[in-house]
Amino acid sequence: MVHVYNCHPFSSQQIVQVEQEPGLICCGGGALFVVATGGCKVEAYNLEKEGCPLICRFATMGTVKSIQHSRMGDYLVTIEGKNCATYLRAYTNWRYQAEGKARVGVRLLGHLLRGASVRGGAQMEIIEIPLSERPVAVACCPVTGDLLVGCENTLVLFTLRRQNQQSQNQSQQMVQSTWTNSQQSSSQSQGQIMDSNPNFLDFERSVILHLSQMKPKQVALCGEYVAVQGELEVLVVKLETSSDPKTLEESDTKKNHLEDHVDFQILPIHQELLGDRAKDCDIAVSIEKTGLEDSKGQYTLSYVLFRRFTPDFFQGCSVEETQLHSLQLYPLFTGNQSMSLQEPSCVFCFFSLPSAGYLYSLKGGVELLSAYQYPEKVLKAVLTDYLLHVITKSALQCFTVRCAAVAARIEDPYIDSTMKACPPCSMEVCALRIQLFIGLRSVCVYGHHVVLLSAADAETTEEPERTTQRRGLSRKWTISSPKETSTAGHGWNLYVVDTVSPLTLYQEMVEYSQRYAETNPQAQSLRHLLSEAHLLLRTSLLQTSEQQRIIEEDSSPSLQADTEGPSVKQAAVRTDSTELEEAFKQNCAQLGDCFSRGSQRECHLALPYYRMSGLSVTELMARNRPLAGRPQSYGPGFLFYLKHYLFEETEQVLSQEAADEVIDIFSQSEPSQLVSVCASPSLINTSPAKTLQILQHLENTAGVSVPLTTTMATMMLRLEDLPEYTRLMERHAEMVLVYGFIEEPRLLLHGGDGGQHAHVRPTALTRQLAKSQPGLLVAAVVALHENNKVQLQHADHIFKELDCENCLQVDFWEAMLMASSQETIIQELLFRVASVYIDRLTNTPSETHTNGPHAPSKRRPLKSADDLINSCSHYGALYPWLIVLNPAHTTSSQHQEALYKLQSLLCGPSLSVGSVMPLMERLSDETLWGFSLHLLCATRRGQYDSSIEKLLDRCPQAIIAYANHHLQDSHMVLWWQKLLPELCNRTRVAADNSILLAALKETSLNRNAVCSTE
């Protein structure tokens, strides 16, 4: 389906003053080339100046049957006829004819001019390109300037070479330049560049392709893609060079299975083969060696696209009405490509029947983008970035294209997301207003200039009757050759029609769309027209970025041919870019409005378009307020956007008026989302009294829930009504409240969704819980961490914001050790709590009454050492011999609690002693409690011999308890090998030491018991 909109893409037209009736036209390089009917002369007119003045004219060596211009190299190539022979010639340096230089050099391919002709200065050259077959069609590559020639059964590819006067005797080099979509060039600047450094172009035959069962009528070339069009079929192949020494010459394995049936003509069936399937077509392509494979590598060929059409004779359709025309390969570069790249990001293939046109995308998967259904028979079509221009006998018409949609997705593969969007490539095309003419025959396009050739009163003959009757379908049919142009005609004209700027066409589309917006804001046509305008702006932005890079590249002194200078051009381009970006944001807002009121199926697209518009949520609410006289409801797309905005963390805080309006919107549209909406940090300025009334009404209608109760308590807290706040919080048990916080974490904290370094801040409810219910706060944060609602570093930041890093944060770590099962987190937390305990022992004096500067918080920890030993497996029971070493009521409670917890960690199975040994050096072993910690570390490290000696020196009364606990199993031998000799030696020295005597006696009894057991 093709939509039709009454938008006019043309701004003005002028008539080119030519002396003789034009027969052929083409344009490029800022010039229009006209070949008179039956003549041997080419005239070049300047398309960039008002009135299209004549640049130059020069004679050809034969009657021109076909003419093409190549932007790369700025040369013309013609197919000429003379004396019943057909020739292929290239005309280079043709601009020198404008300076009155009549010198013309004629040479063969590969033979550069030498001697006086070269020393006399640069001149126009005519290069004769010999071929073994008659040339039928010719095409120039817009990317490299290479030349593709279609003969009756072969395709010949010539590579463009450039050689200056100083390097004629050196090896030829490839042309190094890039294709741009701006299509802006200046004949004067090109002439000055040639004068400063005259170039001599030449061609080198690089590859020959042999075709079977297909006679080329038109050919096209773009980079590695080669397209050939027959009468009823189109084939696109890809030529690549490979360094593999193995020749990949494809043999003609596809034989014509109908060769024996010469008395019958079998009609081919309609076929469309895309990608790898195209190799299954019945057209074989083989590569012929040219002798250059050693230097360039082997050519490999792959099939890309094959399309065959069949004339429907039963519907009264003749063969002539089914003939294909307007074959074109069109490249498109994206804005993020480097200038050194020659390969375009996108390559499109277009071809047309008289009744329909087809546009395919070739790179990144072959896909049919658009099928154009024409209202009447089309004679020729030309594809551009913005539009498809087609001509009939009496009209010029434009259709929209989908090239920008493909380029946008190649430039940004993640464009179809919640952050960005673009209309789909498969969106239906539209036709713009028709411009009427009389007797159109040909069309060509350069930039924003559309050149038309008309011959109003030329003698024309009606279409001949079909000679092939229905009963004669088994016979071969004949296709009539193109009719020769009558020379007796008069009334011909050559028009140059200028298209409006994309921004102007966009503005007209917006004005046109207002008709739909006023009558039916949800009309599909409104959405479609705004999407067309969106793609138009995207194409313009792509070209603007390309123009900026061209100007920067051309700003070197050797290339400054423009008197304005590059700085003026850069300022103009920047101004255009600013206007386009503003229009683009405006269009995104309009598309967001369409999808915000649209159906549930597409309402999600309002989110990315609104985001790309750059409008604030306050501005978007104003755009979506229900109009007077209409139902007071908001569209599903706007609600979808608003929910995403509120549920995602953002630094934008709404005013009280805007926040109250958001609450009203959800209370009317989606009351079930009110709790989540109220928890959004953007609504911190909402009126607590008004919000509380709405929440109470929700509770009366929907029932009591934990998140709703907690939200109401938060509003009471903002109203400073602590008794009512306490009453609401006491409705549910603490564990039930924890589940409510898991359901809505933003009741406790804001931020944290931006990764490790995201700013996280506590809410007012969190600060109140830290004062009144610290246990609930710690349990809630632990639950949030275990349910992946908050990261460990974010939770630490919350407690630091609350100034609770010395108390609640340590309680949180201890609670995490009880709840977590992740080994990496457990080891990190063990080190953290051990560091805290050591720091408390170091900075807290051991006296019972302490008011020093390093005294810890007077608030008791949530978990005592005994609680941790009983509930956490990482805390072990204290060894019996520690009871002897630990002082009783000789230290402060905080000091004693830290000592017991550290001892319990060292007695547990999880803490790595080696990780805390550097910290243990801060603790002195002069006190018994300090000595006990160092002894624990030595014992954990297996240093029993030295531990026995130290214990006998400092506290011998604990030796038996130590030995009974540690000298077991494999360490039992230390009783008599280490402990008994030590006790005997020390008792001899101090015989009156009752402690040593008792220990010796206990040791002897233990040894006897062991011996009797053995």
Side-chain angles (χ1 to χ4, degrees):
M1 176 181 177
V2 178
H3 298 256
V4 180
Y5 299 117
N6 194 24
C7 298
H8 205 304
F10 308 112
S11 60
S12 63
Q13 72 181 40
Q14 55 184 324
I15 297 178
V16 183
Q17 300 297 328
V18 294
E19 298 178 355
Q20 299 180 1
E21 179 182 359
L24 297 172
I25 60 171
C26 78
C27 51
L32 167 63
F33 302 95
V34 181
V35 180
T37 300
C40 300
K41 182 174 62 176
V42 176
E43 296 179 344
Y45 296 88
N46 194 335
L47 284 174
E48 300 296 333
K49 292 186 177 181
E50 186 70 23
C52 299
L54 179 69
I55 299 176
C56 65
R57 59 169 56 95
F58 53 89
T60 61
M61 299 181 67
T63 303
V64 180
K65 297 182 178 180
S66 174
I67 183 169
Q68 294 287 333
H69 175 269
S70 172
R71 180 190 177 277
M72 306 307 298
D74 192 30
Y75 67 87
L76 290 167
V77 60
T78 62
I79 297 177
E80 302 176 10
K82 188 174 183 181
N83 299 329
C84 299
T86 306
Y87 303 91
L88 180 68
R89 297 185 175 101
Y91 294 79
T92 66
N93 294 343
W94 57 269
R95 294 184 188 269
Y96 288 113
Q97 296 298 102
E99 302 176 5
K101 297 180 180 180
R103 296 173 56 88
V104 177
V106 182
R107 61 181 177 88
L108 283 174
L109 175 75
H111 294 74
L112 296 179
L113 296 177
R114 304 178 185 275
S117 61
V118 173
R119 291 193 297 270
Q123 60 184 6
M124 187 179 85
E125 287 188 345
I126 303 176
I127 304 175
E128 189 86 26
I129 304 176
L131 294 169
S132 59
E133 297 183 25
R134 181 175 67 88
V136 176
V138 65
C140 303
C141 176
V143 179
T144 62
D146 294 346
L147 181 63
L148 178 66
V149 183
C151 301
E152 294 190 358
N153 293 297
T154 59
L155 301 177
V156 185
L157 178 63
F158 294 90
T159 303
L160 177 65
R161 305 286 189 180
R162 174 174 292 163
Q163 188 167 355
N164 56 37
Q165 184 173 347
Q166 288 77 19
S167 59
Q168 287 189 37
N169 298 324
Q170 299 176 359
S171 61
Q172 296 177 334
Q173 300 178 355
M174 290 290 293
V175 176
Q176 298 295 329
S177 56
T178 56
W179 165 257
T180 64
N181 294 316
S182 63
Q183 295 188 354
Q184 295 181 353
S185 63
S186 171
S187 60
Q188 296 177 356
S189 62
Q190 292 188 22
Q192 293 180 15
I193 294 172
M194 289 180 182
D195 286 337
S196 61
N197 186 17
N199 291 320
F200 297 89
L201 301 182
D202 199 13
F203 298 91
E204 181 179 69
R205 190 178 63 176
S206 58
V207 66
I208 300 175
L209 302 179
H210 291 269
L211 305 176
S212 67
Q213 304 185 42
M214 185 175 185
K215 294 186 179 296
K217 297 298 182 182
Q218 276 189 290
V219 293
L221 176 65
C222 181
E224 298 175 334
Y225 292 91
V226 175
V228 56
Q229 171 190 299
E231 294 171 347
L232 298 172
E233 59 271 326
V234 173
L235 175 65
V236 181
V237 297
K238 186 175 182 181
L239 274 178
E240 297 177 283
T241 56
S242 173
S243 58
D244 190 353
K246 181 179 178 180
T247 302
L248 297 177
E249 182 177 347
E250 183 176 334
S251 60
D252 189 0
T253 58
K254 301 175 182 178
K255 300 298 181 180
N256 186 1
H257 60 281
L258 300 176
E259 288 179 353
D260 297 335
H261 305 280
V262 293
D263 295 334
F264 299 94
Q265 175 64 36
I266 305 301
L267 294 177
I269 62 172
H270 180 87
Q271 277 186 305
E272 183 187 38
L273 304 175
L274 308 180
D276 293 336
R277 294 182 56 209
K279 67 179 181 295
D280 298 331
C281 69
D282 57 358
I283 298 177
V285 183
S286 59
I287 301 176
E288 178 184 340
K289 292 183 179 180
T290 61
L292 301 175
E293 288 79 10
D294 294 339
S295 60
K296 298 187 62 175
Q298 301 291 336
Y299 278 100
T300 60
L301 183 142
S302 58
Y303 288 79
V304 176
L305 167 67
F306 178 74
R307 185 76 186 261
R308 171 177 284 149
F309 299 90
T310 302
D312 193 351
F313 294 104
F314 299 96
Q315 298 296 328
C317 179
S318 65
V319 176
E320 289 80 1
E321 292 175 344
T322 316
Q323 287 190 60
L324 291 165
H325 60 78
S326 303
L327 176 67
Q328 191 174 354
L329 289 178
Y330 194 81
L332 191 63
F333 282 78
T334 56
N336 57 7
Q337 281 194 287
S338 171
M339 290 297 292
S340 61
L341 291 178
Q342 289 191 359
E343 184 178 0
S345 297
C346 316
V347 177
F348 303 95
C349 178
F350 176 81
F351 49 87
S352 181
L353 292 169
S355 59
Y358 302 90
L359 178 62
Y360 286 85
S361 174
L362 301 183
K363 298 198 70 172
V366 185
E367 176 187 6
L368 175 63
L369 296 180
S370 306
Y372 298 88
Q373 300 297 324
Y374 305 137
E376 55 182 312
K377 181 179 179 181
V378 166
L379 304 178
K380 191 175 181 182
V382 181
L383 176 68
T384 65
D385 289 345
Y386 300 100
L387 300 168
L388 173 70
H389 301 277
V390 302
I391 60 169
T392 65
K393 284 185 177 181
S394 59
L396 167 66
Q397 188 170 7
C398 295
F399 295 84
T400 56
V401 295
R402 299 290 166 262
C403 300
V406 177
R409 286 168 173 82
I410 291 179
E411 186 177 25
D412 186 2
Y414 304 101
I415 196 170
D416 296 311
S417 64
T418 59
M419 300 301 296
K420 298 179 182 180
C422 180
C425 302
S426 58
M427 187 176 68
E428 295 173 339
V429 297
C430 75
L432 305 181
R433 186 187 299 177
I434 296 176
Q435 185 76 18
L436 297 178
F437 289 89
I438 299 176
L440 290 181
R441 292 183 356 194
S442 184
V443 60
C444 62
V445 179
Y446 174 78
H448 64 280
H449 307 289
V450 180
V451 182
L452 301 172
L453 173 60
S454 68
D457 300 327
E459 293 181 1
T460 58
T461 57
E462 297 296 326
E463 295 283 340
E465 295 292 333
R466 286 181 298 159
T467 58
T468 305
Q469 302 298 327
R470 181 174 177 179
R471 57 185 175 82
L473 286 180
S474 59
R475 299 177 179 269
K476 294 183 179 180
W477 73 81
T478 60
I479 300 177
S480 61
S481 60
K483 308 177 190 62
E484 294 295 331
T485 304
S486 173
T487 59
H490 57 86
W492 44 265
N493 278 309
L494 191 58
Y495 300 96
V496 176
V497 182
D498 292 340
T499 58
V500 299
S501 68
L503 191 58
T504 303
L505 182 57
Y506 159 76
Q507 293 168 350
E508 186 177 356
M509 286 182 171
V510 171
E511 293 176 3
Y512 193 83
S513 67
Q514 296 304 315
R515 304 178 185 179
Y516 298 106
E518 293 171 359
T519 57
N520 185 7
Q522 299 182 17
Q524 182 69 25
S525 296
L526 171 62
R527 192 177 312 162
H528 184 272
L529 186 56
L530 291 176
S531 298
E532 292 285 5
H534 184 91
L535 293 178
L536 190 68
L537 293 175
R538 277 194 177 274
T539 306
S540 302
L541 288 171
L542 279 176
Q543 287 198 354
T544 301
S545 61
E546 188 68 21
Q547 291 173 13
Q548 289 177 345
R549 286 198 298 270
I550 295 170
I551 293 174
E552 292 173 359
E553 185 185 64
D554 293 345
S555 61
S556 59
S558 61
L559 297 178
Q560 291 183 3
D562 196 341
T563 57
E564 295 180 341
S567 60
V568 178
K569 290 185 177 181
Q570 288 177 353
V573 171
R574 281 195 295 268
T575 302
D576 294 342
S577 178
T578 303
E579 294 178 354
L580 286 172
E581 288 174 358
E582 289 298 324
F584 183 79
K585 291 180 180 180
Q586 177 189 13
N587 174 261
C588 290
Q590 293 167 340
L591 277 172
D593 293 342
C594 288
F595 289 111
S596 69
R597 307 183 190 99
S599 62
Q600 290 287 347
R601 185 172 61 89
E602 295 180 327
C603 68
H604 64 281
L605 292 174
L607 174 62
Y609 281 115
Y610 273 153
R611 281 179 167 167
M612 292 191 296
S613 70
L615 298 177
S616 65
V617 65
T618 306
E619 294 171 316
L620 293 177
M621 284 193 296
R623 297 175 70 99
N624 284 272
R625 290 193 184 103
L627 300 177
R630 296 190 178 182
Q632 297 294 315
S633 62
Y634 292 85
F638 173 69
L639 293 176
F640 182 80
Y641 161 79
L642 200 56
K643 282 188 289 186
H644 268 264
Y645 171 83
L646 297 174
F647 295 168
E648 295 177 0
E649 300 299 333
T650 176
E651 296 298 328
Q652 183 180 1
V653 178
L654 300 181
S655 63
Q656 179 177 343
E657 181 182 359
D660 290 342
E661 184 177 356
V662 171
I663 297 296
D664 290 336
I665 290 173
F666 281 94
S667 64
Q668 299 171 17
S669 303
E670 294 188 37
S672 60
Q673 300 291 333
L674 274 174
V675 172
S676 298
V677 170
C678 291
S680 172
S682 300
L683 301 184
I684 197 160
N685 291 329
T686 185
S687 171
K690 182 178 179 180
T691 305
L692 189 60
Q693 292 178 356
I694 295 175
L695 293 176
Q696 287 173 344
H697 176 73
L698 177 63
E699 186 181 58
N700 294 334
T701 55
V704 178
S705 67
V706 177
L708 179 58
T709 301
T710 312
T711 306
M712 294 171 62
T714 301
M715 296 302 156
M716 286 296 181
L717 193 60
R718 291 182 56 189
L719 291 172
E720 298 182 356
D721 190 349
L722 292 181
E724 187 64 22
Y725 160 80
T726 304
R727 186 189 68 81
L728 287 172
M729 293 297 290
E730 289 177 350
R731 276 188 181 181
H732 308 283
E734 285 194 354
M735 203 62 225
V736 177
L737 290 174
V738 168
Y739 287 119
F741 291 131
I742 295 175
E743 186 175 345
E744 186 46 72
R746 293 185 300 171
L747 291 170
L748 291 181
L749 54 92
H750 290 157
D753 291 343
Q756 181 175 355
H757 304 289
H759 179 63
V760 185
R761 55 192 182 279
T763 63
L765 178 60
T766 305
R767 297 184 183 277
Q768 179 62 29
L769 290 178
K771 299 175 183 178
S772 59
Q773 294 176 283
L776 173 60
L777 176 60
V778 170
V781 178
V782 170
L784 292 180
H785 180 274
E786 291 303 299
N787 286 273
N788 299 321
K789 302 292 186 179
V790 66
Q791 300 180 20
L792 182 60
Q793 60 269 28
H794 295 161
D796 291 338
H797 182 74
I798 288 293
F799 290 109
K800 290 180 180 179
E801 288 278 330
L802 296 172
D803 296 328
C804 299
E805 57 265 35
N806 259 345
C807 48
L808 279 184
Q809 187 175 23
V810 180
D811 293 333
F812 167 70
W813 291 343
E814 293 172 347
M816 282 290 298
L817 285 174
M818 291 187 288
S820 180
S821 59
Q822 303 179 37
E823 186 62 28
T824 56
I825 292 181
I826 290 173
Q827 290 301 321
E828 181 179 354
L829 292 175
L830 286 172
F831 179 79
R832 288 185 183 184
V833 295
S835 303
V836 171
Y837 299 153
I838 293 173
D839 185 67
R840 289 179 178 178
L841 292 173
T842 304
N843 298 327
T844 305
S846 59
E847 287 77 9
T848 304
H849 303 286
T850 300
N851 291 312
H854 299 289
S857 173
K858 294 183 178 181
R859 187 190 64 80
R860 294 182 61 85
L862 296 178
K863 295 291 183 180
S864 65
D866 292 336
D867 295 333
L868 292 174
I869 291 171
N870 294 328
S871 59
C872 183
S873 61
H874 306 295
Y875 288 84
L878 298 183
Y879 300 149
W881 54 272
L882 288 174
I883 300 175
V884 182
L885 297 179
N886 285 341
H889 308 293
T890 60
T891 61
S892 63
S893 60
Q894 293 89 349
H895 187 278
Q896 190 172 14
E897 191 70 24
L899 176 62
Y900 286 168
K901 289 182 177 180
L902 182 56
Q903 288 177 339
S904 178
L905 274 183
L906 292 172
C907 294
S910 304
L911 178 64
S912 174
V913 177
S915 63
V916 298
M917 281 304 297
L919 301 177
M920 293 293 295
E921 295 177 357
R922 298 166 52 191
L923 298 176
S924 173
D925 60 355
E926 295 179 358
T927 59
L928 281 179
W929 60 265
F931 171 71
S932 67
L933 294 173
H934 284 280
L935 192 64
L936 270 173
C937 291
T939 303
R940 285 282 305 273
R941 300 173 72 181
Q943 300 173 359
Y944 295 105
D945 292 354
S946 60
S947 298
I948 291 173
E949 295 176 1
K950 292 178 181 179
L951 192 57
L952 289 174
D953 292 337
R954 296 289 301 275
C955 188
Q957 59 267 33
I959 190 62
I960 296 302
Y962 179 88
N964 285 333
H965 189 81
H966 295 289
L967 303 184
Q968 302 294 329
D969 300 329
S970 61
H971 304 296
M972 181 71 74
V973 68
L974 294 177
W975 278 89
W976 52 84
Q977 288 185 357
K978 180 61 181 179
L979 181 57
L980 184 58
E982 281 289 335
L983 288 174
C984 291
N985 293 335
R986 293 172 184 267
T987 304
R988 291 192 190 98
V989 176
D992 56 345
N993 193 323
S994 59
I995 297 176
L996 292 176
L997 288 173
L1000 179 60
K1001 181 179 179 180
E1002 185 70 24
T1003 302
S1004 301
L1005 291 175
N1006 185 280
R1007 180 181 181 184
N1008 292 335
V1010 172
C1011 293
S1012 62
T1013 303
E1014 293 177 352

